[in-house]
């Protein structure tokens, strides 16, 4: 059966965004998505900047896309889009609006070639969401070191689109959209004339600095009130560990309340996104602080060698942009050494291992898909997406709840540790050569 599966052709050259289809999109998709939301666009250093250029955009919710198109107007863009999003909308239409398809967290030279083609031959804006997934807590996510090299290779101005408010209006753990004010800052961080003498490390530093943001701080400092009566629903997905008793995966949330089933402690989420303990000390009033504390605990587990995840998962594959294929059950194992998936795909046994240096991060989705009325044949629930160059494995933990955030933390911390070991080995080798 595996030989009959038609896989996505990532080498296929993208098209310049169709003026007709982008006009349709602006009228019937972009404008409705922004209706009722005040959007403020600030441009910094953009005088005289016209296509082609590279646009690096922050990623927080589906609203990022209409905000991006509004920010770059009157121009359109070739948008780098994950294969699951192409599947959701349809490959034919996505190609008409200039989309460039890719798999998340997979190095693909076809992507670079297609981006280069867009700036050199089509003379267009190429928009990339380098975090490769929606922010989980409203702050910057993992950014790869390859960004600086990509900027030099494309050799066009580098612009960052930093969006605020997109997350608090619809966080990934609670996708019911609220009509809250949005802000977008379009900032030139490197002109074409700079690229020849600015180092890759300097470009990476500029990008990371430009991506720094905190949507909860933005909400609080600007007095943006979220009056949604179920604004804390799903918060336990990212705040999975109790700071009072340290129990993991015993957290629950409903309406405006978050609580731990192990010790009984609870917190209330107010209209400005702050947490207050119902009794005793408020360990973390600011949600990203709680999130960072959990990550620090995972980091310690990984570096001490104690970290381990092993669980049964339902497996779906996405070889193309047409449909998911149900592959039954498999086993996912993750330790400080790397990540292993054992399953069956298209009738053949699969045993995949990603060493720590090979998997920078993973894409996670809470309660996917949110619009279950649109995807009646593919109701998955919580899932983690791990890809190879020609396949995406969507894995759904079956017997353990609320695992996604910790899996995400662990994947990145395993990668950071593996990179440190590689650098240390290189340094030791260089020291021996110099003796």
């Amino acid at each position: 059966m595996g030989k009959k599966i038609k896989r996505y052709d990532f080498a296929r050259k993208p098209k310049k965004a169709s003026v007709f289809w982008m006009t349709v999109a602006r009228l019937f998709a972009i404008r409705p998505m922004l209706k009722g939301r005040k959007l403020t666009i600030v441009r910094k250093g953009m005088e005289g900047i016209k296509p082609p250029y590279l646009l690096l955009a922050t990623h927080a919710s589906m609203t990022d896309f209409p905000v991006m198109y509004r920010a770059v107007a009157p121009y359109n863009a070739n948008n780098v889009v994950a294969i699951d999003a192409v599947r959701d909308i349809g490959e034919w239409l996505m190609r008409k609006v200039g989309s460039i398809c890719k798999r998340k967290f997979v190095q693909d030279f076809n992507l670079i070639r297609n981006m280069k083609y867009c700036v050199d031959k089509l003379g267009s804006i190429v928009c990339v969401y380098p975090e490769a997934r929606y922010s989980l807590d409203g702050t910057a996510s993992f950014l790869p070191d390859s960004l600086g090299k990509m900027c030099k290779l494309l050799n066009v101005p580098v612009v960052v689109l930093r969006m605020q408010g997109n997350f608090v209006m619809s966080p990934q753990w609670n996708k019911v959209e609220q009509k809250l004010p949005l802000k977008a800052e379009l900032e030139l961080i490197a002109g074409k004339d700079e690229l020849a003498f600015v180092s890759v490390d300097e470009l990476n530093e500029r990008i990371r600095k430009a991506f720094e943001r905190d949507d909860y701080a933005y909400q609080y400092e600007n007095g943006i009130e979220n009056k949604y009566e179920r604004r804390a629903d799903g918060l336990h997905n990212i705040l999975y560990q109790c700071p009072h008793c340290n129990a993991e995966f015993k957290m629950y949330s409903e309406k405006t309340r978050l609580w731990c089933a192990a010790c009984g402690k609870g917190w209330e989420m107010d209209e400005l996104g702050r947490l207050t303990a119902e009794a005793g000390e408020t360990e973390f009033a600011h949600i990203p602080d709680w999130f960072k504390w959990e990550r620090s605990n995972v980091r310690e587990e990984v570096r001490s060698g104690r970290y381990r995840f092993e669980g049964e998962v339902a497996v779906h594959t996405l070889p193309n942009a047409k449909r998911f294929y149900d592959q039954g059950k498999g086993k996912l194992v993750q330790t400080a050494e790397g990540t292993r998936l054992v399953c069956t795909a298209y009738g053949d046994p699969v045993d995949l291992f990603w060493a720590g240096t090979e998997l920078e991060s993973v894409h996670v989705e809470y309660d996917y898909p949110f619009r279950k009325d649109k995807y009646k044949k593919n109701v998955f629930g919580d899932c983690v997406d791990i890809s190879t160059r020609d396949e995406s494995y969507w894995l759904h933990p079956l017997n353990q709840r609320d695992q996604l955030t910790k899996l995400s933390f662990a994947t990145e911390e395993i990668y950071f540790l593996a990179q440190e070991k590689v650098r240390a080995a290189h340094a030791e080798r260089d020291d021996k050569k110099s003796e």
Side-chain angles (χ1 to χ4, degrees):
M1 181 177 176
K3 294 181 180 179
K4 298 179 182 179
I5 298 297
K6 185 176 181 180
R7 301 186 182 278
Y8 194 91
D9 181 9
F10 292 98
R12 191 179 179 190
K13 285 184 170 55
K15 297 181 178 181
K16 193 175 183 70
S18 161
V19 173
F20 172 78
W21 285 108
M22 278 306 308
T23 300
V24 171
R26 289 183 185 277
L27 287 174
F28 298 104
I30 295 170
R31 183 180 293 177
M33 288 182 73
L34 295 177
K35 185 178 181 180
R37 300 182 176 94
K38 179 185 177 183
L39 172 59
T40 302
I41 299 175
V42 178
R43 293 176 172 83
K44 301 179 179 179
M46 293 296 294
E47 298 81 6
I49 300 299
K50 296 181 180 180
Y53 63 80
L54 172 63
L55 180 64
L56 303 174
T58 60
H59 214 16
S61 77
M62 281 294 294
T63 312
D64 298 344
F65 302 102
V67 170
M68 182 275 291
Y69 281 115
R70 182 71 64 83
V72 302
Y75 306 108
N76 295 318
N78 285 99
N79 209 16
V80 176
V81 180
I83 191 170
D84 53 292
V86 175
R87 177 259 181 190
D88 289 347
I89 305 299
E91 182 181 353
W92 182 86
L93 182 56
M94 292 296 271
R95 282 186 59 78
K96 287 293 184 182
V97 297
S99 297
I100 308 171
C101 186
K102 78 174 298 292
R103 296 189 192 274
K104 294 183 176 77
F105 303 112
V106 171
Q107 293 185 355
D108 185 356
F109 293 111
N110 288 314
L111 174 64
I112 300 300
R113 281 193 288 265
N114 284 335
M115 291 170 63
K116 186 71 172 168
Y117 172 79
C118 288
V119 295
D120 288 350
K121 303 298 183 182
L122 304 183
S124 61
I125 299 167
V126 173
C127 179
V128 181
Y129 299 85
E131 293 164 306
R133 68 172 189 203
Y134 298 126
S135 170
L136 303 183
D137 70 333
T139 66
S141 301
F142 173 83
L143 291 169
D145 290 334
S146 57
L147 288 176
K149 293 179 182 178
M150 182 176 71
C151 294
K152 281 184 168 288
L153 180 63
L154 295 183
N155 195 34
V156 290
V158 182
V159 177
V160 166
L161 177 63
R162 180 173 53 254
M163 293 173 274
Q164 293 180 288
N166 296 21
F167 176 85
V168 294
M169 63 154 279
S170 179
Q172 285 309 292
W173 45 266
N174 186 334
K175 299 182 180 74
V176 180
E177 294 186 353
Q178 306 304 305
K179 294 189 182 301
L180 303 178
L182 309 174
K183 182 180 179 181
E185 295 175 298
L186 201 65
E187 180 181 5
L188 177 71
I189 64 166
K192 182 176 179 179
D193 56 344
E194 291 183 84
L195 294 175
F197 58 86
V198 175
S199 70
V200 168
D201 289 342
E202 170 65 18
L203 286 169
N204 283 329
E205 182 59 29
R206 291 187 189 183
I207 294 167
R208 290 193 172 95
K209 184 176 180 180
F211 266 69
E212 288 177 1
R213 65 198 189 279
D214 185 331
D215 241 36
Y216 282 112
Y218 162 82
Q219 178 187 8
Y220 183 72
E221 290 165 4
N222 289 277
I224 298 171
E225 295 182 346
N226 181 2
K227 296 182 180 294
Y228 180 43
E229 65 276 6
R230 305 194 71 91
R231 57 183 169 268
D233 278 8
L235 184 54
H236 67 277
N237 283 293
I238 65 166
L239 303 186
Y240 62 86
Q241 183 175 16
C242 176
H244 182 67
C245 71
N246 288 326
E248 291 183 324
F249 316 122
K250 299 293 184 181
M251 301 293 294
Y252 291 84
S253 58
E254 186 177 15
K255 294 184 178 179
T256 61
R257 188 168 179 260
L258 174 73
W259 72 94
C260 174
C263 69
K265 184 160 184 174
W267 297 261
E268 186 75 15
M269 183 181 183
D270 68 20
E271 293 179 350
L272 294 178
R274 306 285 286 181
L275 296 176
T276 303
E278 295 171 340
E281 176 191 3
T282 297
E283 293 88 349
F284 301 105
H286 189 50
I287 289 172
D289 290 341
W290 189 326
F291 194 76
K292 290 176 184 176
W293 171 75
E294 291 175 328
R295 178 188 278 276
S296 69
N297 294 336
V298 176
R299 182 182 304 120
E300 194 278 328
E301 282 189 51
V302 168
R303 290 175 178 267
S304 68
R306 294 184 296 109
Y307 173 77
R308 181 180 180 85
F309 170 85
E310 182 172 346
E312 187 178 36
V313 292
V315 181
H316 288 78
T317 54
L318 185 61
N320 50 47
K322 298 183 182 301
R323 56 166 289 198
F324 286 96
Y325 293 80
D326 187 349
Q327 307 295 354
K329 297 178 181 179
K331 183 171 72 171
L332 180 65
V333 180
Q334 188 176 62
T335 68
E337 302 304 314
T339 303
R340 169 163 267 118
L341 171 64
V342 179
C343 66
T344 299
Y346 315 111
D348 297 324
V350 172
D351 188 344
L352 294 170
F353 180 74
W354 294 266
T357 54
E358 296 175 317
L359 196 59
E360 297 175 331
S361 188
V362 289
H363 171 224
V364 300
E365 288 273 3
Y366 308 111
D367 192 26
Y368 177 86
F370 175 59
R371 288 290 307 278
K372 294 178 176 56
D373 57 320
K374 293 179 64 178
Y375 304 103
K376 293 179 181 179
K377 295 182 179 180
N378 290 307
V379 178
F380 297 151
D382 289 355
C383 57
V384 55
D385 163 25
I386 310 180
S387 296
T388 62
R389 288 188 179 181
D390 60 0
E391 190 65 86
S392 293
Y393 295 88
W394 288 64
L395 313 172
H396 325 288
L398 294 174
N399 305 312
Q400 297 141 296
R401 66 183 292 269
D402 307 334
Q403 300 292 317
L404 301 190
T405 301
K406 188 171 184 180
L407 279 167
S408 172
F409 285 151
T411 304
E412 293 173 7
E413 294 301 329
I414 290 167
Y415 175 76
F416 296 150
L417 178 60
Q419 290 294 97
E420 286 182 20
K421 289 180 178 179
V422 169
R423 287 193 293 268
H426 287 169
E428 183 179 357
R429 184 186 60 196
D430 291 341
D431 288 344
K432 287 182 179 180
K433 286 181 178 180
S434 62
E435 289 177 357

